[in-house]
Amino acid sequence: MNKILIALTIAGLTISCGKETQEVVTQEVQPAPVVSTPKNIIMIVGDGMGPTYTTAYRYFKDDPSTPRVENTVFDRHLVGMSSTYPDTHHNYVTDSAAAATALSSAIKTYNGAVAVDMDKQNVETVLERAKSLGMKTGVVVTSQINHATPASYLSHNDYRYNYNAIADSYIDNGIQADLYLGGGWKFFIREDRNLVEEFEDNGFNYIDSYQLLDSVSTDKPLLGLFGDKGLPWALDDTNKHRLSAMTKTATKHLENEDGYFLLIEGSQIDWAGHSNDIASAMGEMDDLAKTLEYLETYVKEHPDTLVVITADHSTGGVTLGVDGVFQWDPKVLRTMKQSPNSIANLLEKVDITTEYANSLFNFELTDEEISKLITVKNDTATAIKIAEVTGIEDARSGKEYDPFTVNNELYKAIKEVINARTFTGWTSSGHTAADVPVFAMGNNKALFNGYQDNTDIAKKIFTLLDNK
Ligand code: MG
Ligand code: ZN
C-alpha cells in the first residue's frame, strides 16, 4: 500500500511540477514513507554453484517430450550476478571460507579465514547481528555444521580446517543459534569432549535421524546431526531431499514474533565439482532446487520473508559440451539412482558383469565401457600387487587426494564413462574465478538486482537488519 502511495505521489509531482503541488504532496505522503524491512531473512549458499551448474540443472530437468525447455526454480528467481574474489593478495580465485566471510561479514579476507580479517581479527557476522537484535537464528547444511561456510556465520577462526576448535567455539563462545541441522558426529562426539551433551545441558533437543525432523517438539532449540562428517551424497541418502526436509523443520522451529535469520547451504555441489562428478552434482542441485521450491511457497504465505540465494564460487571449471562436439546429453543422469562413489564401492567387491554393472548404473553400458571398467580394476590390482612384491611404488601412487587404490581408480573410470556419455568437461579439481548467479524472492528482493560483489550482499543484509 505504501509503495503505491509513494509511486502515485512521485507521478503527481512530475506531472504538475512547478504548479500547485505543495498541498497535494503533503496530503498524499501521509503516513511518511517507510521502507519495509523483512521480518525473516533466509540466506542460501549453493557451495561451488557457478552459472554452469544452474544451466546444467535446467537441461537435466528438461522434459524431452515437450518442444520447449522448461524453466527451473532458479530461472524463476534470477536477479543478478556476484563477483567472488578474496582479498587481492590472494589473486582472484576464492576458497569457501574467504567467500563465506565476504557473504557473512562484508569484508574481503584471505583464503582459509573464518570470519576474521587480514589481521586475523574477528569480524561481526550477519547472523551475530541478527541474534543481538533479538531474532532467532539457525543453520541448515549438508556438510558438517562446523564446515567453512556455516562456521563463517557462527564462529571465528584463522584457519578453516581447525574443525575441533570451531566445534568447541559453538559452545565456548556462547551459543549463537537456536537450530543447527547437518552432519558432524566426528567433531561433536569426541573422546575428549561430547558437545552434543553440552548442547543438551544448554536446553537443546538433539536428534540424529531424519525421521525425527517432523515430530521433534518446537519448544526447545534444536541440534540435529545426521552424518559423521558431511551427509551422504543426495543420490545415496535415505532421503534424497534431505536439505528441503531440514529446511521445512527449520522454518517451523524458528518462526517467532521478532523474526529469524537462517543460513542454508547446499554444501556438496562443491564436493561433486572437486571430484568432477556430474551425476552427484545434479543430485545435490536437485535437493537444493526442492528447497527453493518449498521456500517459493513459504514466501507466498509469509511475504515478510526475504530469501537470497547465491554461490560462494564455481568449482571444477565444468563445461557442457567438449572436444568440438556441439552436444550436452544429460539423458543417463536422469535415470541414475546412486552415486559413482557408491557404484565403485559395489563393483570393487565382485567380478564385474554386464548385467550387474547395468543394474548399478541404471542404464545400459556399451561393451567398450564394461571392458574399460574391468581393465581398470584388474590393471590397478596387478600394479598394486607388483608394488607390494618389488617395493617399488607405482608412478600413479603417492597423491593424498587421489590415492592409487582399486576403489579410487574404479571411481575415476566410472566418472569418465559418465562424463563421456554426457559430453561433460572439467578443467580443474579446484575452484574458478567466474562470477556466480544471485537469486532472490520475497520482501526487498529487488535490492539484489544487477551486478554486485559478494561483500555487497552482506552489506545489504546488514542494512536491512539495522532498519528493523
Ligand atoms: Mg561450503
Ligand atoms: Zn571447494
Side-chain angles (χ1 to χ4, degrees), residues 200-367:
E200 288 177 311
D201 293 344
N202 279 281
F204 273 67
N205 274 327
Y206 172 64
I207 57 172
D208 59 3
S209 127
Y210 296 142
Q211 271 89 39
L212 298 170
L213 280 170
D214 282 339
S215 56
V216 64
S217 79
T218 53
D219 59 351
K220 282 180 172 186
L222 178 63
L223 172 68
L225 300 179
F226 313 102
D228 199 33
K229 292 191 266 182
L231 306 181
W233 290 117
L235 278 177
D236 300 331
D237 211 337
T238 52
N239 183 347
K240 289 179 168 39
H241 295 121
R242 71 281 206 240
L243 187 67
S244 48
M246 294 191 292
T247 298
K248 279 177 202 165
T249 300
T251 50
K252 202 168 69 185
H253 274 250
L254 292 175
E255 263 161 27
N256 77 102
E257 262 181 26
D258 299 315
Y260 64 82
F261 176 88
L262 170 62
L263 170 75
I264 299 171
E265 185 192 28
S267 318
Q268 300 193 28
I269 300 160
D270 175 65
W271 301 2
H274 280 287
S275 120
N276 296 352
D277 176 349
I278 191 68
S280 298
M282 290 302 103
E284 299 307 315
M285 287 296 293
D286 199 48
D287 193 11
L288 180 57
K290 285 284 173 303
T291 307
L292 298 194
E293 283 164 11
Y294 162 67
L295 290 172
E296 205 173 35
T297 318
Y298 183 84
V299 163
K300 271 183 203 141
E301 288 160 8
H302 303 80
D304 49 3
T305 301
L306 166 69
V307 183
V308 183
I309 305 106
T310 192
D312 47 358
H313 52 75
S314 192
T315 305
V318 61
T319 66
L320 310 179
V322 284
D323 300 332
V325 184
F326 287 40
Q327 193 170 2
W328 190 64
D329 184 0
K331 190 168 74 229
V332 299
L333 303 177
R334 296 190 186 119
T335 55
M336 287 186 68
K337 296 265 186 292
Q338 57 188 319
S339 73
N341 229 297
S342 151
I343 296 173
N345 293 341
L346 293 165
L347 287 183
E348 187 190 353
K349 292 186 198 135
V350 295
D351 284 332
I352 299 174
T353 65
T354 305
E355 201 190 358
Y356 186 52
N358 285 349
S359 76
L360 298 184
F361 281 79
N362 208 31
F363 63 85
E364 265 185 36
L365 296 164
T366 63
D367 292 345

Side-chain angles (χ1 to χ4, degrees), residues 45 47 96 143 147-150 160 265-267 270-271 312:
V45 178
D47 199 310
S96 287
S143 61
H147 202 257
T149 309
R160 59 180 287 186
E265 185 192 28
S267 318
D270 175 65
W271 301 2
D312 47 358

